[in-house]
Amino acid sequence: MSSRFHPASLSLVCVITLGSAASCSSRTSSVRPVEVAVAPLPEWSPANLPGTNASEAHLENLHALTAGESARDVAWSADGEMLVYASRRPPYPCEQVFSISANARAAGQLAVPAEPRLLSSGRGWAGSPSAFPGDGRILFAANESARPDCEARLEEPAIVASADLYTAEANGSGLRRLTRTARLGGLASLSRSGRIVVSSFRGDSLNLATIASLTAISADDPPMSALTTAPGRDGSARFSDDGERIVYASRRRDGGTTGARHETLPGGREIRMVRPDGREDQAVTANGAMNGAPSFFPGRTDRILFSSNLADPRGRNFDLWAVSSDGTDLERITYHPAHDGSASFSPDGRRLAFTSSRRAGRPEDRDIYVADWKP
């Protein structure tokens, strides 16, 4: 059986090994960002002080970096000085990728936050940023032709099903388009070894696959090797620091029956783990809740951080949880009645950034919080 998938039906989460600088440069092109001013963040006020809970024992010096955002997909720059994230904020109708200083706070008090910097072009949709290892570049996915009325990419998979990969400096300069297939989908993630994981659809299922190189992925019909094939949706994949494991969220259909691409699947979304070559694909959770945004603890493959509504299965109170890779030692990290999700450890493992609506003025608000991590 051939391992090549026809691009018209391709929709996979893919692992890509970056080629040499010369190979990459031959495939990249400069992109001019839309000349639109980024709307300022709302002013700080005493009423906006971040909420916390005495039970959040792992979090110290918790503080908010933004106000009035709809942030998700938060990640650190390689030097730990910047945070990159996706957000739908004026004047952009769809999510775009931004960066902000991770230190935009005066000692012991809230400070006026630094202005976010636009990294994507401002056209269409962009999201899922992650840092290149060892330099200031940021990788992200974008669909610049996405219709202008998109509001929630998770509910509209077509928005990200035709995305390409882009890179930019964390300071907002040097925007470049890396691929021109328009078939790779959104949800890009980069390992410290230089591999990329990208999500998109194959037929009406979202699966994992590998692509040999950046040169191959830029071709019209890149050869791919499937890692997972179960009907459903596999996404939000992240590498371990050593690149030997991938953790991801999976919502699979029973009985092998596929349905419409945009249907709402019954049941929960579980956390799974797999090797980059497809071996040892195993379940981590089986709790029936909506679990997502998983990532490994720094330097480990046996401990996973994720967001879940496990404590409120009929509601939208998502919290951060930790679990061992074999599904044992489940621990609740946050206890606030608001939505906590999309967490990321700093490169040195000393700080944790996550999105939260714990002081939101609107139901859709998700601000970025940073805390010192206490083991």
Side-chain angles (χ1 to χ4, degrees):
M1 180 178 296
S2 172
S3 62
R4 294 172 65 88
F5 299 129
H6 192 277
S9 64
L10 181 62
S11 183
L12 306 171
V13 176
C14 316
V15 181
I16 310 157
T17 302
L18 288 175
S20 64
S23 172
C24 290
S25 62
S26 66
R27 294 286 180 174
T28 60
S29 59
S30 297
V31 180
R32 182 181 296 276
V34 174
E35 299 295 334
V36 180
V38 178
L41 293 168
E43 294 183 0
W44 295 96
S45 72
N48 283 337
L49 291 175
T52 187
N53 188 293
S55 298
E56 296 176 337
H58 290 290
L59 308 181
E60 292 185 339
N61 302 318
L62 178 67
H63 58 279
L65 291 184
T66 66
E69 288 279 8
S70 57
R72 67 170 95 207
D73 301 338
V74 63
W76 294 81
S77 62
D79 61 6
E81 294 297 315
M82 305 288 291
L83 284 164
V84 291
Y85 62 100
S87 181
R88 189 180 70 255
R89 66 195 320 275
Y92 308 106
C94 294
E95 287 180 342
Q96 298 296 322
V97 173
F98 300 89
S99 67
I100 193 171
S101 170
N103 303 306
R105 174 178 178 264
Q109 61 182 353
L110 289 173
V112 176
E115 285 295 318
R117 296 173 177 174
L118 177 67
L119 304 190
S120 51
S121 70
R123 293 182 288 267
W125 168 90
S128 300
S130 58
F132 277 78
D135 63 32
R137 291 181 297 162
I138 304 300
L139 177 79
F140 59 91
N143 178 359
E144 294 191 340
S145 63
R147 65 178 187 269
D149 62 343
C150 60
E151 290 194 356
R153 63 174 171 77
L154 293 181
E155 284 72 30
E156 293 289 347
I159 293 173
V160 300
S162 301
D164 275 298
L165 298 180
Y166 292 72
T167 184
E169 300 291 329
N171 62 12
S173 65
L175 176 62
R176 289 185 177 274
R177 184 174 181 174
L178 296 181
T179 64
R180 290 189 172 277
T181 65
R183 302 182 185 96
L184 300 178
L187 304 181
S189 179
L190 183 65
S191 75
R192 292 184 180 181
S193 63
R195 287 177 171 174
I196 305 171
V197 58
V198 185
S199 76
S200 54
F201 285 92
R202 181 171 64 91
D204 58 7
S205 287
L206 195 64
N207 295 117
L208 304 179
T210 58
I211 297 179
S213 67
L214 189 61
T215 300
I217 203 173
S218 298
D220 291 335
D221 188 13
M224 295 193 179
S225 301
L227 299 182
T228 64
T229 58
R233 293 181 186 170
D234 301 334
S236 300
R238 295 283 174 178
F239 280 97
S240 58
D241 285 349
D242 62 7
E244 294 299 316
R245 295 287 193 280
I246 297 171
V247 64
Y248 65 99
S250 179
R251 197 171 187 185
R252 298 185 171 180
R253 300 182 179 94
D254 294 332
T257 302
T258 58
R261 174 178 288 192
H262 305 313
E263 71 177 335
T264 299
L265 303 181
R269 183 173 60 225
E270 303 295 350
I271 305 301
R272 299 183 65 88
M273 186 172 67
V274 65
R275 285 187 177 273
D277 61 4
R279 292 183 296 119
E280 301 178 23
D281 185 7
Q282 63 190 59
V284 176
T285 66
N287 53 37
M290 292 301 293
N291 310 287
S295 60
F296 288 101
F297 273 58
R300 299 176 64 175
T301 60
D302 62 344
R303 194 71 174 160
I304 296 166
L305 186 71
F306 65 102
S307 179
S308 178
N309 67 340
L310 182 58
D312 184 22
R314 295 186 178 180
R316 297 185 60 83
N317 178 22
F318 283 73
D319 287 292
L320 299 182
W321 299 74
V323 67
S324 295
S325 58
D326 62 359
T328 63
D329 297 327
L330 181 67
E331 180 184 13
R332 188 172 177 179
I333 305 299
T334 63
Y335 287 79
H336 200 279
H339 183 288
D340 296 329
S342 187
S344 177
F345 280 103
S346 61
D348 62 8
R350 295 180 178 179
R351 290 186 288 176
L352 182 72
F354 63 97
T355 60
S356 179
S357 63
R358 56 180 64 197
R359 66 167 190 187
R362 302 171 300 170
E364 66 269 24
D365 284 354
R366 301 285 188 273
D367 282 308
I368 298 175
Y369 285 76
V370 174
D372 296 330
W373 178 259
K374 183 179 179 182

